[in-house]
Amino acid sequence: MRSYKTTMVDPVRLLPREDRDAALADAGYNVFNLDSADVFVDLLTDSGTGTMSNDQWAAMMQGDEAYAGGDSFADLEAAVSDVMGFENVVPAHQGRGAENVLYGALVSEGDTILNNAHFDTTRAHVVANGGDAVDCPVEAATDMDSDDPFKGDFSLDRARAVVDDVGAENVPVVVLTITNNSMAGQPVSVDNTRAVAEFADDIDATFVVDACRFAENAHFVQQREPEFADDSVAAIAREQLSYADACVMSGKKDGLVNIGGFVGIREGRDELHEQCRQRGILYEGFSTYGGMSGRDIAAFAVGLREAVDPPYVAERVEQVQRLCEALADRGVPVYQPAGGHAVYIDANRALDHIPRDQYPGQAFVCELYREGGVRGVELGRFAFPDTDRRDLVRLAVPRRMYGPDHVEHVADTAEAVCERADEISGLEIVEEPEMEELRHFSAELRPVE
Ligand code: F0G
């Protein structure tokens, strides 16, 4: 059961079928172009879409809007230090702002950056700075049915092979993304984190943790890594983050806010801190607000503490697991086990008659909307061009927002799509932006005749 009650409501409606068909065509078969009022259950992202607590709303009323040295920023610094262990905080408007600040300082033309798997904006920032973004997932990550407890781990074998190839001097940064969003939201063990930190140290690289979903990851560690079975989520989170030289954080995930982010920098990394501070001032705003209002910062400081406060995160991850089970029970091919923030449907199995160059993942996303007003997102070939990854459809669950009836509706909708798979055709791109890494946000498509 949820350990909270709802005291504010936000009505939603299911449009008639023919209106959904029309909205989809108007959107160019890209659900990013839909109006949210036309969406019934919105699982496009868990980013910035969740419900804030009354304590967060109360903190917002006390936000200090000073340009410099505001109280709210001091509260955020204290929360980052207590919860995540980083003494230096360079604020940013959201995660990708923090990525711009940090990767602009660390990545140069011709560098190779290793990551268990780059999220799309992370890859784009590496590429924009002239780097080559190389993923090092473990083998189990691409096995939809393996019950390996840490399919999000970083493969040191792959990383060593890349370093042998390009030379350690060309690998200035090693990133660990927890949980691993591009690999089905799978967790990373603390054991793996320690090994990656050691590897980064050996090659003299800066070790960065992308900590967007650090609390969800800590919950999985508590459940699955025997060494930590008796530890609190808060203690595990601090332990796991203690190995990193720096972190990039999007507050829109485990910060439990609608907007915000920061770069956290380990004490003693003065040069990196100063570089980030200056880049922060240039791109985000002065170093005590970084693109956020004082109100946003105040809510963020409270949200970070709530993220590791039981029973919040256990309930949150269990809801995602219930969605995964409901889909699996109805025969929808899902990636197992469920991720921390999302369930991933395998469109290559669900729509196995659609060739991969006709984006079966995106076709499935469109049909979920057409069938039940459900908005998910493709994270396959359409989002990640030129990769051999499977065509997964992500159903990301906003935090503290939907109830069990929504979960049932989504599962019934996906089942209905699978049942009429034969009638569903592939898609072709009609228009796409210049930067291929960002195409799924705005490209337009049409059904293949
Ligand atoms: N890193 C990871 C692992 C992410 O999942 C995201 C965002 C970012 C960085 C960038 O953060 O959105 O605040 O600029 N992920 C969202 C998603 C957008 O839907 O998964 P941001």
Side-chain angles (χ1 to χ4, degrees), residues 44-47 94-97 99 119 121-122 177 179 181 210 212-213 250 252-253 260 341 394:
L44 181 68
T45 178
D46 63 319
S47 181
Q94 62 181 86
R96 68 202 68 183
E99 290 180 330
F119 183 64
T121 59
T122 319
T177 305
T179 54
N181 189 10
D210 179 329
C212 293
R213 298 180 180 87
S250 165
K252 303 173 74 172
K253 286 81 170 176
H341 66 299
R394 186 185 75 173

Side-chain angles (χ1 to χ4, degrees), residues 190-445:
V190 172
D191 191 48
N192 185 248
T193 308
R194 289 175 180 143
V196 176
E198 208 169 295
F199 164 75
D201 196 42
D202 283 350
I203 63 166
D204 220 8
T206 297
F207 178 34
V208 175
V209 170
D210 179 329
C212 293
R213 298 180 180 87
F214 74 98
E216 289 163 11
N217 200 87
H219 169 77
F220 282 116
V221 168
Q222 186 193 53
Q223 301 299 307
R224 298 181 186 177
E225 198 167 353
E227 181 186 339
F228 298 97
D230 298 326
D231 292 341
S232 67
V233 163
I236 294 165
R238 267 199 306 274
E239 165 73 11
Q240 187 159 33
L241 293 169
S242 73
Y243 297 97
D245 298 311
C247 76
V248 269
M249 179 69 191
S250 165
K252 303 173 74 172
K253 286 81 170 176
D254 282 352
L256 298 175
V257 284
N258 303 119
I259 197 74
F262 60 81
V263 181
I265 302 141
R266 181 77 51 215
E267 218 170 9
R269 296 291 306 249
D270 297 343
E271 196 186 327
L272 180 61
H273 180 208
E274 185 52 21
Q275 272 177 302
C276 288
R277 222 163 66 85
Q278 296 307 326
R279 285 182 64 82
I281 294 170
L282 183 60
Y283 292 109
E284 297 292 313
F286 186 67
S287 18
T288 61
Y289 73 87
M292 291 178 277
S293 69
R295 290 182 286 277
D296 298 329
I297 299 172
F300 194 174
V302 175
L304 266 186
R305 293 184 193 276
E306 289 181 358
V308 293
D309 191 23
Y312 155 71
V313 78
E315 291 173 1
R316 188 270 185 294
V317 172
E318 280 161 18
Q319 184 182 39
V320 177
Q321 284 166 346
R322 274 198 299 280
L323 173 59
C324 188
E325 280 158 25
L327 288 161
D329 286 350
R330 286 163 176 79
V332 179
V334 281
Y335 186 105
Q336 302 263 22
H341 66 299
V343 178
Y344 294 70
I345 296 171
D346 183 1
N348 298 123
R349 276 193 215 171
L351 303 178
D352 59 5
H353 61 291
I354 300 183
R356 299 206 58 190
D357 59 2
Q358 293 180 12
Y359 309 112
Q362 185 63 12
F364 199 94
V365 166
C366 289
E367 294 308 315
L368 280 174
Y369 177 71
R370 208 198 290 277
E371 185 66 40
V374 174
R375 176 156 69 170
V377 70
E378 198 262 12
L379 289 179
R381 283 237 179 131
F382 179 48
F384 298 98
D386 303 326
T387 57
D388 55 5
R389 53 183 296 124
R390 295 187 78 80
D391 294 304
L392 298 180
V393 172
R394 186 185 75 173
L395 303 178
V397 183
R399 294 167 181 80
R400 304 190 288 205
M401 188 154 101
Y402 289 120
D405 43 359
H406 296 109
V407 167
E408 292 296 305
H409 174 77
V410 172
D412 290 344
T413 299
E415 181 184 25
V417 171
C418 290
E419 277 169 359
R420 56 175 184 76
D422 293 350
E423 301 162 19
I424 299 168
S425 60
L427 296 164
E428 60 193 358
I429 293 177
V430 185
E431 240 183 82
E432 60 186 310
E434 206 173 305
M435 195 167 183
E436 215 186 18
E437 286 79 9
L438 299 177
R439 84 169 167 200
H440 75 137
F441 294 112
S442 59
E444 296 202 1
L445 306 97

